[in-house]
Amino acid sequence: MWRYSLRWAYPHLPCPGEEVLVFEDVPAGERAPASVMALFIPGGDYMVSLDFLDDKPIRRWSPERKAQARQRNLERRVMKAAPLFADELITRELTNRPDYFKGK
């Protein structure tokens, strides 16, 4: 589903009225509905916006997966910057921030 709406166009200025004047949900690929376009004034203070509605839940990484990625990225960064002292620097970073590198 897509959501067409008529929204305040200037985020840096306070809105004098409603932020969203009208919105309507339509099947994906449809053109903007007449109910939204009837209120639209070209050059006005409100713009036609399109939001893509998604019903999928957000997938979060497990703490173990986060820990693996963080340690891998640490090793990659240290090896690029100072490969001669990589072991010492990685050990120091793991002891200074153990919770971060455990995925918390």
Side-chain angles (χ1 to χ4, degrees):
M1 293 292 288
W2 288 0
R3 174 174 287 168
Y4 284 97
S5 59
L6 203 57
R7 291 188 185 163
W8 179 247
Y10 305 109
H12 57 283
L13 296 175
C15 181
E18 295 291 323
E19 291 279 333
V20 177
L21 291 182
V22 65
F23 69 89
E24 189 170 330
D25 296 342
V26 298
E30 292 281 325
R31 300 187 90 175
S35 63
V36 173
M37 295 308 292
L39 296 175
F40 176 64
I41 301 169
D45 293 336
Y46 287 87
M47 65 180 175
V48 176
S49 294
L50 174 63
D51 294 319
F52 302 102
L53 304 177
D54 196 9
D55 294 335
K56 293 181 190 175
I58 297 173
R59 293 178 53 195
R60 302 281 182 196
W61 281 6
S62 67
E64 294 82 23
R65 180 71 179 102
K66 276 190 210 177
Q68 290 172 355
R70 288 172 179 175
Q71 289 178 9
R72 182 181 62 244
N73 292 339
L74 171 67
E75 290 172 7
R76 188 178 306 136
R77 282 193 312 271
V78 171
M79 289 300 289
K80 185 177 180 181
L84 186 60
F85 304 105
D87 294 336
E88 180 184 340
L89 294 173
I90 290 171
T91 305
R92 184 184 307 167
E93 209 41 48
L94 291 174
T95 56
N96 287 344
R97 299 173 30 191
D99 288 341
Y100 177 78
F101 289 104
K102 289 180 183 172
K104 296 180 182 175

